[in-house]
Amino acid sequence: MRPMKASISHPIDTRARLGDLTGSKLTGTALALVTKAISACLSAQLPCGSLVGLYADNSPDWAIVDLALQQAGMVSIPVPGFFAPAQIGQL
């Protein structure tokens, strides 16, 4: 899994905190707790309304972080893993 970035200028490596949930089952309650915790971490580092580039391939982890960004009042900008550096630089 590649590191996800909170923004181009503020990278946050979520691998150790989130882990790969692919194939795992989450209850609605567990999903709410996970997204709330991630949202709190993001809110501690970035102000509400921040534009956040989410650099990751589609996965359950991506969806969870996207939900957490919404809860934190931030704007998620999907950045696919297949983007070339020049494409990322245009964001």
Side-chain angles (χ1 to χ4, degrees), residues 36-58:
K36 184 176 180 178
I38 294 169
S39 178
C41 289
L42 290 166
S43 295
Q45 298 184 50
L46 299 168
C48 184
S50 291
L51 302 176
V52 180
L54 185 51
Y55 181 72
D57 294 323
N58 290 340

Side-chain angles (χ1 to χ4, degrees), residues 7-25:
S7 73
I8 299 301
S9 60
H10 295 84
I12 299 173
D13 186 343
T14 59
R15 289 178 296 183
R17 295 185 196 126
L18 183 56
D20 185 7
L21 298 174
T22 303
S24 297
K25 294 181 181 179

Side-chain angles (χ1 to χ4, degrees), residues 8 55 79-91:
I8 299 301
Y55 181 72
V79 182
F82 60 81
F83 267 24
Q87 290 174 296
I88 294 171
Q90 294 297 314
L91 298 175

